[in-house]
Amino acid sequence: QSVQKTLEQTNAVVQRTFDKQTVVPKKVILVSPNEERNSYLDNEHLMLQIGTTLRLDQSLSEVVATYVPGILWSNSSSEVKVQPKWKVFNAAFSYWIQTELKLAPIEVDPFFLQQSNLDMKEVERWIKEFMDYDHKQQLILLKKWYSELNETEK
C-alpha cells in the first residue's frame, strides 16, 4: 500500500467519522529532524514530521499517527492542544484508524502522552477506558472525546 493511498483512506475515515471535509493536498512536505510526530494541513500543503528511519511505505501506521492531528486540529487554537485529553484522543483515534485500515496499530502508551506527572493517572484511566472497549464502542467514545475537545474551542 502507498503513502498517498493511506493518507486518502485516513482522510475518508475522518470525513465519515466527524463530517470534516478536507482533501489531501497535492504538495506533501516531509520533515524528519528528530523522533517527534507532527503535522500541519492547509488547503495547499501537508507537512508531515515523521520520526522514523524506515521508508514511509514500511511505516504506514506512523503516517496515520502523524497525519491525524494535522487533519483534525491544524485550524484549532492552542487552547485545545494543551488539554491533557488532546494527546490521548489523537493516539487513540490513530490506533482506531490503524485497526480500521488493517495496519499494525501503534499502542496507546501513557508514558508518551502525559504532559506532567499530575496527568499520569488520568491519562492511564482514559487509555484503559478506550482499550477496554471493542472497536465499535471505541468509536462512540472517540466521538464523545472529540466533542468535548471541540467545546474547549468555544
Side-chain angles (χ1 to χ4, degrees):
Q1 182 165 305
S2 72
V3 172
Q4 182 69 27
K5 184 174 180 182
T6 300
L7 292 172
E8 289 167 359
Q9 289 175 328
T10 301
N11 205 54
V13 171
V14 169
Q15 285 181 6
R16 182 171 74 235
T17 306
F18 297 117
D19 198 29
K20 196 158 181 75
Q21 300 305 313
T22 58
V23 176
V24 179
K26 294 192 184 324
K27 296 177 184 172
V28 178
I29 302 162
L30 297 173
V31 183
S32 188
N34 54 33
E35 293 298 311
E36 289 183 42
R37 281 189 216 130
N38 270 309
S39 60
Y40 178 78
L41 177 69
D42 66 22
N43 291 335
E44 300 195 21
H45 301 89
L46 168 62
M47 185 199 74
L48 294 174
Q49 177 183 346
I50 301 179
T52 182
T53 55
L54 300 173
R55 288 182 12 201
L56 289 184
D57 62 348
Q58 300 298 310
S59 52
L60 294 174
S61 294
E62 286 281 341
V63 171
V64 171
T66 304
Y67 185 39
V68 163
I71 194 173
L72 289 174
W73 309 106
S74 285
N75 296 322
S76 299
S77 72
S78 58
E79 274 184 48
V80 73
K81 296 174 186 172
V82 297
Q83 300 293 322
K85 195 177 275 181
W86 182 76
K87 283 186 175 184
V88 176
F89 169 84
N90 288 327
F93 188 47
S94 296
Y95 178 94
W96 190 89
I97 292 174
Q98 292 156 358
T99 303
E100 184 79 356
L101 300 182
K102 297 181 179 22
L103 300 172
I106 298 171
E107 282 301 315
V108 184
D109 188 336
F111 179 78
F112 296 106
L113 301 175
Q114 71 182 27
Q115 294 176 336
S116 73
N117 287 335
L118 299 174
D119 299 333
M120 189 60 149
K121 289 222 181 305
E122 195 166 30
V123 166
E124 287 173 339
R125 184 178 57 78
W126 288 328
I127 292 170
K128 181 178 180 344
E129 180 182 11
F130 174 78
M131 296 306 287
D132 283 350
Y133 286 143
D134 67 26
H135 193 66
K136 285 183 179 179
Q137 292 171 317
Q138 286 175 342
L139 182 59
I140 293 166
L141 180 63
L142 288 164
K143 287 180 176 184
K144 176 182 173 233
W145 287 353
Y146 183 72
S147 177
E148 290 169 359
L149 288 167
N150 276 306
E151 285 299 312
T152 63
E153 285 281 288
K154 297 175 180 160

